[in-house]
């Protein structure tokens, strides 16, 4: 598989053939990490687009349900309209919507219409304004729940979020356009053009062979895992209210959070998860570092087991931790020929 990059950070132009073990070497500040993060971003976008679309849709739906409730609370007295509060109370509404979709909305429309019929003329006139506002919001819920997008559109959105999370709008040189192209032999798979703030063109012409990517930047993640676990990435933020709600939560780049989540999967290790072709590799790593890494779910720490002694990752040499990360990923069943 061939990756071609243009105007990506410090890289003016590069073509990288990924075939087995591929070594990219160079001086500091020559773009090695940019290559890795670019490859990670586009493969991660392709592998996560469905999940991301589902999360984004759920976030929009929850926001509208909250908006309806708070609009009602500002407009009417709940103490004399207890039934309205109960019908539109967000946790109850969200649960009903998740189970019954359109029916949950139709019931609330009917409830409002019947409620108006039982009001006197003066109350109807004061109620009418926010009735139409709420009705529009309920109709918007229907539209969002029925929303569908093409695969290319969804991957495009996921890529925009991934590239922002990795580079924070500092990837395209001033006055330039960044480009990424993926191909096999002469067969184009993906090509895209973008700037720091916008995706200009994005084409998915065929499926990627690789289903996932893992970017390992530093072994330090092993003893910062709890901090990383409690952090957020810009891939996870959907709107302004989400940013406000997470102001006190630290930020990490997507590849760091992704790595920690994968390493913790090793608690479910089982021999059948490790493909036969990698058993020799597992043995080589265990012999090289003279032990094995495990994740202790109770203490929320990664530990190195050496001669039946448990050593916290904080007190383990960086080189051993680096091999330990590969060991944990193999245990998780997350390293294979398609990742």
């Amino acid at each position: 598989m061939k990756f071609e990059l243009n105007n990506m950070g410090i890289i003016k132009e590069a073509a990288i053939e990924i075939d087995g073990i591929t070594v990219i070497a160079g001086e500091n500040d020559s773009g090695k990490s940019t290559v890795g993060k670019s490859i990670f971003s586009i493969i991660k976008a392709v592998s996560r687009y469905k999940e991301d679309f589902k999360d984004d849709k759920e976030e929009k739906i929850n926001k509208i349900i909250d908006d309806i409730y708070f609009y009602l609370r500002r407009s009417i007295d709940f103490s004399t309209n207890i039934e309205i509060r109960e019908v539109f109370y967000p946790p109850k509404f969200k649960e009903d919507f998740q189970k019954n979709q359109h029916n949950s909305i139709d019931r609330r429309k009917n409830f409002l219409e019947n409620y108006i019929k039982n009001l006197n003329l003066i109350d109807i006139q004061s109620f009418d304004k926010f009735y139409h506002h709420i009705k529009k919001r309920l109709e918007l819920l229907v539209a969002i729940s029925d929303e569908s997008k093409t695969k290319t559109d969804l991957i495009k959105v996921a890529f925009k979020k991934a590239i922002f999370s990795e580079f924070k709008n500092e990837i395209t040189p001033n006055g330039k356009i960044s480009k990424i192209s993926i191909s096999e032999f002469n067969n184009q798979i993906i090509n895209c053009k973008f700037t720091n703030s916008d995706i200009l063109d994005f084409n998915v012409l065929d499926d990627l062979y690789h289903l996932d990517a893992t970017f390992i930047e530093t072994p330090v993640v092993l003893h910062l895992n709890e901090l990383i676990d409690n952090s957020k990435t810009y891939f996870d933020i959907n709107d302004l209210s989400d940013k406000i709600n997470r102001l006190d939560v630290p930020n990490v780049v997507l590849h760091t959070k992704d790595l920690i989540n994968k390493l913790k999967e090793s608690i479910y290790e089982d021999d059948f998860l490790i493909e036969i072709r990698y058993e020799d590799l597992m043995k080589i790593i265990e012999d090289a570092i003279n032990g094995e890494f495990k994740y202790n779910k109770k203490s929320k720490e990664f530990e190195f087991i050496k001669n039946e002694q448990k050593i916290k990752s904080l007190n383990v040499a960086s080189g051993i931790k680096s091999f330990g990360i590969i060991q944990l990923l193999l245990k998780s069943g997350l390293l294979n020929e398609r990742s």
Side-chain angles (χ1 to χ4, degrees):
M1 187 161 61
K2 186 177 182 181
F3 282 82
E4 295 179 78
L5 309 176
N6 295 86
N7 299 319
M8 294 288 291
I10 202 168
I11 300 171
K12 291 182 179 179
E13 187 177 344
I16 302 101
E17 192 79 40
I18 305 294
D19 184 17
I21 294 176
T22 304
V23 178
I24 301 173
E27 297 177 353
N28 289 334
D29 200 28
S30 59
K32 299 185 300 296
S33 294
T34 298
V35 171
K37 292 200 289 183
S38 300
I39 292 171
F40 170 83
S41 295
I42 202 156
I43 293 179
K44 185 56 66 176
V46 171
S47 66
R48 277 189 60 150
Y49 75 91
K50 288 182 182 176
E51 174 190 341
D52 185 46
F53 178 60
K54 182 183 175 184
D55 291 346
D56 191 45
K57 182 183 277 193
E58 189 175 323
E59 185 71 26
K60 288 177 184 175
I61 289 167
N62 289 342
K63 186 178 184 302
I64 290 172
I65 290 174
D66 286 341
D67 285 348
I68 290 172
Y69 178 78
F70 291 124
Y71 183 81
L72 279 169
R73 196 173 71 180
R74 290 193 301 270
S75 305
I76 64 172
D77 181 358
F78 277 160
S79 65
T80 57
N81 295 275
I82 296 171
E83 198 175 357
I84 286 184
R85 182 187 184 278
E86 289 179 348
V87 168
F88 288 96
Y89 184 57
K92 187 180 288 186
F93 192 173
K94 289 171 187 176
E95 183 182 1
D96 190 17
F97 183 81
Q98 196 171 33
K99 290 178 182 176
N100 302 299
Q101 297 286 308
H102 288 199
N103 287 338
S104 70
I105 297 169
D106 291 339
R107 280 198 296 271
R108 282 163 177 81
K109 279 184 182 176
N110 292 334
F111 170 84
L112 288 174
E113 288 166 2
N114 290 329
Y115 191 85
I116 286 177
K117 289 176 184 177
N118 295 321
L119 296 173
N120 60 47
L121 184 61
I122 295 172
D123 288 335
I124 287 174
Q125 288 172 343
S126 61
F127 195 86
D128 192 57
K129 180 182 175 183
F130 64 81
Y131 164 70
H132 287 293
H133 175 87
I134 292 167
K135 190 178 176 184
K136 282 183 180 179
R137 305 301 287 171
L138 291 173
E139 288 167 355
L140 184 58
L141 272 181
V142 173
I144 290 172
S145 66
D146 292 342
E147 184 182 17
S148 62
K149 292 183 179 178
T150 66
K151 178 179 176 180
T152 297
D153 287 338
L154 295 176
I155 295 173
K156 178 179 173 180
V157 172
F159 176 69
K160 185 173 183 178
K161 292 173 79 171
I163 208 81
F164 177 75
S165 180
E166 289 300 302
F167 296 101
K168 290 286 294 293
N169 282 347
E170 292 183 352
I171 184 63
T172 305
N174 287 337
K176 304 286 186 180
I177 293 175
S178 297
K179 299 177 187 177
I180 297 179
S181 174
I182 304 175
S183 61
E184 285 183 324
F185 295 102
N186 293 320
N187 303 310
Q188 279 283 312
I189 300 171
I190 291 175
N191 60 67
C192 59
K193 299 177 184 177
F194 56 96
T195 63
N196 285 325
S197 58
D198 196 21
I199 307 292
L200 304 175
D201 191 26
F202 200 99
N203 299 295
V204 180
L205 306 169
D206 206 345
D207 291 334
L208 274 178
Y209 175 73
H210 293 88
L211 301 176
D212 190 31
T214 304
F215 187 89
I216 304 167
E217 187 171 23
T218 170
V220 170
V221 295
L222 286 180
H223 57 261
L224 295 180
N225 81 88
E226 195 169 357
L227 173 66
I228 295 165
D229 203 37
N230 292 322
S231 66
K232 67 178 184 295
T233 75
Y234 285 95
F235 199 97
D236 303 318
I237 296 174
N238 292 297
D239 58 22
L240 181 60
S241 64
D242 206 10
K243 287 182 184 178
I244 293 168
N245 290 335
R246 304 189 191 192
L247 282 175
D248 59 341
V249 180
N251 300 319
V252 294
V253 288
L254 178 61
H255 70 256
T256 301
K257 183 96 173 194
D258 175 73
L259 177 59
I260 280 295
N261 290 340
K262 287 173 176 172
L263 295 177
K264 288 185 175 181
E265 288 290 313
S266 63
I267 60 170
Y268 306 112
E269 67 175 282
D270 202 325
D271 289 342
F272 80 87
L273 286 175
I274 304 169
E275 296 185 29
I276 294 173
R277 75 185 81 182
Y278 301 127
E279 287 179 353
D280 287 345
L281 178 56
M282 284 290 290
K283 182 70 170 63
I284 289 168
I285 291 174
E286 190 171 335
D287 289 346
I289 63 178
N290 195 22
E292 66 172 330
F293 272 86
K294 287 183 178 289
Y295 178 64
N296 186 323
K297 192 175 180 181
K298 189 174 181 180
S299 66
K300 295 183 178 179
E301 289 185 303
F302 289 97
E303 298 172 337
F304 182 52
I305 317 298
K306 181 179 180 180
N307 300 326
E308 298 185 359
Q309 180 186 359
K310 294 181 180 179
I311 306 168
K312 290 179 173 57
S313 62
L314 180 67
N315 299 313
V316 178
S318 293
I320 290 176
K321 282 199 284 261
S322 296
F323 281 104
I325 287 174
I326 304 295
Q327 191 181 56
L328 288 164
L329 289 170
L330 285 167
K331 285 182 181 183
S332 304
L334 295 169
L335 283 191
N336 54 59
E337 67 176 12
R338 298 195 70 181
S339 67

